[in-house]
Amino acid sequence: MTGSQRFGSPGGVPREFHLTAGGAIQKVTGWWVPFLHTVFASTAFIGALVIGWKLHYFKIVKNEYYGYPDEWFPSVSATIGDRYPGRNVFQILIALTAPPRLLLHIFWYILTVRAAPKRAQALFWIGFLRTWTCGGWVYVTSGDDHDVHDVMMISYMLLTLPYMILLIKICDLSPFTYNAKVLSQNKNRRKWVAIMFFGSIPPMIYFFINHKVHHIAGAYTTYAFFEWALILFDVMFDSLAMVEFKALDLAVLPAKPSEDRE
């Protein structure tokens, strides 16, 4: 029942809290966590691409062998890491992605730990390490240190395999299920997104080899399209959590009046 409650503060002045149903000061549905993650991540990459396209087009499509018109679409690394202000706008927006991303892992743990405790713990730590390696290739660009950037990106992609597989296996095991059919349908969507993600990797590697080893004009542009596809499928995979997270609320609760807060 919605209402208000007054608790004493250490200075003797009453504090008034307006409570929602269930006794929470403020409460939002867990749907907002993957939604904000999707918005910030998408805006970061799209914003960097638009800024780079408008201000530095010929510079970001150029590589060590070819430039425009042989190469006409920029890679992800060139878009997010090479030029001001695209790089800075991207890094600010991707920093805003961190809180909902960490909450994403925490919420998945809460939803699945009762049904599959070991797999839930594994998913949480793999997701945490994956987030850390993401920060590695985002904030250490290829222009800063090419080796560190590549190692972090490869580690991120390797961790994506167990992350997606584990999540697909346990995403419909939540005891807070409100509609089993909807969860099953969403699980199938995850499978297809994961298939598209990993299906994009072999052709991406093929065109990268054509560029790096055989020096084929235009190969890097084709490689860039598959690289951007990985970003799209990655963000899309986590966005599907908006379905399951409707079963959870994120709430701020007042401390009990009897508790000593000195």
Side-chain angles (χ1 to χ4, degrees):
M1 181 175 180
T2 302
S4 64
Q5 190 169 349
R6 299 176 68 88
F7 298 150
S9 67
V13 180
R15 296 175 295 166
E16 182 171 314
F17 296 100
H18 295 280
L19 305 181
T20 62
I25 298 172
Q26 189 57 264
K27 182 171 65 175
V28 295
T29 176
W31 175 89
W32 281 97
V33 172
F35 175 77
L36 290 175
H37 178 271
T38 303
V39 169
F40 288 138
S42 301
T43 305
F45 284 101
I46 294 172
L49 179 61
V50 170
I51 291 171
W53 195 282
K54 291 288 186 180
L55 301 181
H56 313 290
Y57 175 74
F58 294 102
K59 293 179 180 179
I60 62 176
V61 299
K62 184 179 180 180
N63 55 59
E64 64 266 46
Y65 305 118
Y66 300 99
Y68 182 85
D70 296 302
E71 308 289 2
W72 56 271
F73 198 82
S75 67
V76 173
S77 297
T79 300
I80 68 174
D82 284 358
R83 303 287 171 179
Y84 171 87
R87 168 179 177 168
N88 308 80
V89 170
F90 172 78
Q91 290 185 343
I92 291 170
L93 288 170
I94 212 69
L96 294 174
T97 310
R101 190 179 184 92
L102 292 173
L103 283 174
L104 198 74
H105 301 320
I106 293 171
F107 272 30
W108 272 123
Y109 178 80
I110 294 170
L111 278 173
T112 59
V113 69
R114 294 185 182 181
K118 291 184 178 180
R119 285 181 288 179
Q121 290 177 21
L123 178 66
F124 174 83
W125 289 112
I126 290 171
F128 181 83
L129 288 174
R130 187 168 169 267
T131 299
W132 182 78
T133 57
C134 178
W137 62 264
V138 163
Y139 290 101
V140 181
T141 67
S142 56
D144 297 330
D145 191 315
H146 200 278
D147 292 337
V148 172
H149 178 81
D150 285 351
V151 167
M152 287 296 185
M153 182 172 283
I154 292 171
S155 299
Y156 179 85
M157 292 177 65
L158 290 175
L159 287 167
T160 299
L161 178 62
Y163 174 77
M164 287 189 173
I165 291 175
L166 272 173
L167 188 49
I168 289 170
K169 284 185 174 295
I170 65 176
C171 64
D172 58 344
L173 299 182
S174 169
F176 309 110
T177 299
Y178 67 96
N179 190 321
K181 183 179 179 180
V182 170
L183 297 191
S184 178
Q185 291 172 342
N186 209 40
K187 183 173 185 175
N188 288 330
R189 294 188 194 102
R190 278 196 181 84
K191 290 179 181 178
W192 281 110
V193 174
I195 289 170
M196 289 187 288
F197 180 93
F198 293 110
S200 300
I201 295 176
M204 184 184 72
I205 295 173
Y206 171 78
F207 284 105
F208 182 79
I209 293 172
N210 280 345
H211 159 73
K212 199 72 176 178
V213 178
H214 305 299
H215 302 171
I216 296 176
Y220 201 68
T221 290
T222 309
Y223 159 82
F225 280 116
F226 285 103
E227 192 179 29
W228 280 100
L230 290 182
I231 299 297
L232 173 64
F233 298 140
D234 192 353
V235 175
M236 189 184 300
F237 186 86
D238 283 326
S239 73
L240 293 172
M242 282 187 269
V243 172
E244 288 86 1
F245 284 15
K246 289 179 181 178
L248 290 179
D249 286 332
L250 184 63
V252 178
L253 301 174
K256 294 180 180 179
S258 60
E259 291 187 70
D260 185 3
R261 293 290 169 177
E262 294 182 3

